[in-house]
Amino acid sequence: MSKARFGELVEKIVEELREYEFRNLVVGARVPAELREREDELRASFRIETGEDIKEDITRAIGSMLQRRLNVSVEYQNPEIVVLVDVFSGEYEIQVNPLFIKGYYRKLKKNIPQTPWYCRYCWGRGCERCGFTGREYPESVSELVGEPALRIFEALSYKFHGAGREDVDATVIGTGRPFILELKHPRKRFVDLSILEREINEHAQGRVEVSGLEYSSRRELRILKSLSPIASKTYEAIVEFDGDVSDERLREIEERFRGIVVEQRTPRRVLRRRADKIRQKKLYYVEAEKIDEKTVKFKIKTQGGLYVKELIDGDDASTKPNIAEALGRRPLKIDLSVIEVEAPRSEKSEKDVELVLDRYSGEHLEDHGRDEEPV
Ligand SMILES: [Zn+2]
């Protein structure tokens, strides 16, 4: 490749990259083997007299030209843009790395799954049973958050990563559930996130609400995925019982269910998806407030992985202890909301994450069903 062609190549890359917002890039080279023999020739044409690898010489030369022309920096660890150049043919490829945005979501209405839930009869093609929508539920948290972001960032696609997920019939209130949105091949990266927040919240009004949006990273996504299954969760449960509930019994429950370990056998409702075994999970506290003679509002904080519905109804004594037994009443209706999900801490080092994973190995990785997080 002559020096003139080299200049042309850089110009072409500059033109294409002008479509994208970015701060940094890295240039990598794909050098065919036969080119190695022409190393001297190339060196001469670039007037590079160092003894380094020809590949590095060329990529560094292109990188520094792009850096100057586009006013960006060179980043080796987590580049936003990767340019791969075949210096022999003059062909190149631009790889636009994903953008990550973290935040919290609240789900104010029931029956909105976290990710699209397709019709179980037609798997999305559309049939009579789903009214030809192909869907079990028309909306999802993922789409309500992801679609506006896709438009604003001019990305090609997105992936929604929640810190666990609630049952479709549970709401998420309080501080909300942490999530990270991954936007693939974005053209924009310098968006004021309050614009995105407003856009999502106006569009999903009364159903889903996001807050605390911040730019994130793949590293934080890794931490979210590995630590969220074991993060503590706080729930609110409004439970209607089959008879009057005594205040005295409720106070006893508050006392007895504080800082204990609950033994729980895999609930029957999830047996098809999860291994049948006995789990031991920490229960931090249960607070009970009577709404009327038969209805109680509970606030329950547990270690991740405890099935809360079964903590309340006992699941035929397969959860010990359980609230129904302690109360001597059978629940007729349980309305469950997630009010807080402990945010995985990003300051933890990878080493800490590995240690935690070792301790809990297998437990959170056992499967990835519809209800990844027990509620
Ligand atoms: Zn269908």
Side-chain angles (χ1 to χ4, degrees):
M1 186 164 48
S2 67
K3 200 171 179 191
R5 262 188 78 197
F6 179 81
E8 268 171 42
L9 173 65
V10 170
E11 280 316 302
K12 260 164 72 185
I13 297 172
V14 166
E15 272 317 298
E16 196 171 331
L17 284 178
R18 283 199 197 284
E19 290 181 40
Y20 298 93
E21 283 184 353
F22 63 103
R23 301 167 191 80
N24 58 60
L25 54 70
V26 73
V27 180
R30 280 187 306 212
V31 185
E34 66 258 38
L35 192 71
R36 298 254 152 216
E37 295 156 20
R38 302 192 183 189
E39 195 166 320
D40 290 341
E41 191 190 318
L42 268 160
R43 253 178 224 290
S45 74
F46 286 116
R47 286 194 217 122
I48 296 165
E49 307 290 356
T50 63
E52 287 171 38
D53 191 295
I54 187 73
K55 229 158 66 170
E56 282 179 30
D57 292 345
I58 295 170
T59 56
R60 190 168 303 133
I62 295 176
S64 65
M65 283 179 86
L66 292 176
Q67 194 182 347
R68 273 198 311 275
R69 292 293 312 276
L70 294 160
N71 193 25
V72 294
S73 60
V74 172
E75 162 70 36
Y76 296 97
Q77 289 297 311
N78 293 296
E80 291 170 340
I81 301 277
V82 179
V83 182
L84 289 172
V85 182
D86 180 335
V87 285
F88 184 64
S89 66
E91 280 166 15
Y92 67 92
E93 184 192 322
I94 288 172
Q95 186 186 310
V96 179
N97 282 338
L99 174 75
F100 300 90
I101 298 167
K102 65 178 173 182
Y104 294 83
Y105 77 81
R106 305 197 327 142
K107 189 175 103 187
L108 308 167
K109 284 257 157 51
K110 290 178 170 195
N111 298 328
I112 303 174
Q114 194 186 67
T115 50
W117 193 332
Y118 296 103
C119 170
R120 74 189 82 174
Y121 301 103
C122 66
W123 295 104
R125 284 197 315 275
C127 67
E128 258 170 52
R129 308 193 81 137
C130 60
F132 298 96
T133 59
R135 302 281 294 260
E136 207 76 26
Y137 298 94
E139 292 183 316
S140 67
V141 176
S142 159
E143 290 159 293
L144 290 170
V145 174
E147 293 295 336
L150 188 80
R151 283 196 302 275
I152 291 173
F153 286 86
E154 299 178 27
L156 288 185
S157 62
Y158 64 87
K159 199 163 180 207
F160 186 91
H161 307 275
R165 72 165 88 213
E166 62 286 345
D167 279 354
V168 67
D169 65 350
T171 56
V172 181
I173 52 179
T175 51
R177 183 185 294 281
F179 70 88
I180 293 181
L181 184 70
E182 178 178 359
L183 288 161
K184 295 184 178 162
H185 204 97
R187 279 184 198 277
K188 302 272 182 263
R189 283 180 197 266
F190 304 153
V191 176
D192 176 354
L193 290 176
S194 65
I195 293 171
L196 175 63
E197 189 167 315
R198 203 179 321 129
E199 191 69 19
I200 294 169
N201 291 345
E202 272 173 20
H203 178 242
Q205 207 169 29
R207 282 117 72 212
V208 167
E209 212 173 84
V210 295
S211 61
L213 297 188
E214 279 179 53
Y215 285 105
S216 183
S217 62
R218 188 178 292 285
R219 184 177 171 274
E220 286 189 329
L221 173 60
R222 218 160 28 231
I223 292 167
L224 179 94
K225 287 194 152 183
S226 54
L227 292 185
S228 64
I230 53 174
S232 72
K233 318 271 161 38
T234 309
Y235 301 88
E236 182 183 278
I238 309 227
V239 186
E240 194 190 316
F241 290 96
D242 64 349
D244 289 2
V245 172
S246 90
D247 280 308
E248 206 189 327
R249 286 278 182 91
L250 288 179
R251 298 293 84 81
E252 276 171 24
I253 285 174
E254 287 182 330
E255 213 164 290
R256 198 178 137 204
F257 285 61
R258 178 170 292 272
I260 59 166
V261 171
V262 172
E263 287 210 354
Q264 185 164 64
R265 187 161 176 189
T266 307
R268 286 165 302 170
R269 67 183 166 104
V270 299
L271 259 184
R272 268 201 306 164
R273 297 183 295 267
R274 285 173 190 268
D276 187 9
K277 63 175 185 182
I278 292 171
R279 292 170 179 75
Q280 293 191 320
K281 296 288 174 187
K282 264 186 234 151
L283 175 59
Y284 300 105
Y285 64 76
V286 171
E287 286 172 9
E289 184 195 327
K290 238 162 99 168
I291 293 178
D292 60 42
E293 288 312 311
K294 294 177 182 174
T295 314
V296 182
K297 181 162 104 181
F298 293 99
K299 190 175 168 190
I300 301 167
K301 183 173 180 182
T302 75
Q303 182 185 5
L306 182 79
Y307 293 90
V308 176
K309 276 178 188 161
E310 283 71 17
L311 172 71
I312 295 168
D313 69 20
D315 193 31
D316 277 343
S318 65
T319 294
K320 289 173 214 158
N322 66 72
I323 289 175
E325 199 175 35
L327 210 52
R329 290 280 176 238
R330 205 163 53 83
L332 299 175
K333 186 165 177 268
I334 302 175
D335 247 326
L336 202 60
S337 303
V338 178
I339 55 178
E340 194 179 351
V341 178
E342 182 195 12
R345 278 162 297 164
S346 56
E347 69 266 24
K348 272 192 183 289
S349 70
E350 305 275 329
K351 193 97 192 141
D352 289 336
V353 173
E354 276 161 31
L355 283 174
V356 172
L357 285 179
D358 277 352
R359 260 195 292 147
Y360 293 89
S361 63
E363 195 153 359
H364 57 289
L365 299 169
E366 56 189 28
D367 71 356
H368 295 280
R370 240 352 289 172
D371 54 351
E372 270 174 58
E373 179 202 323
V375 290

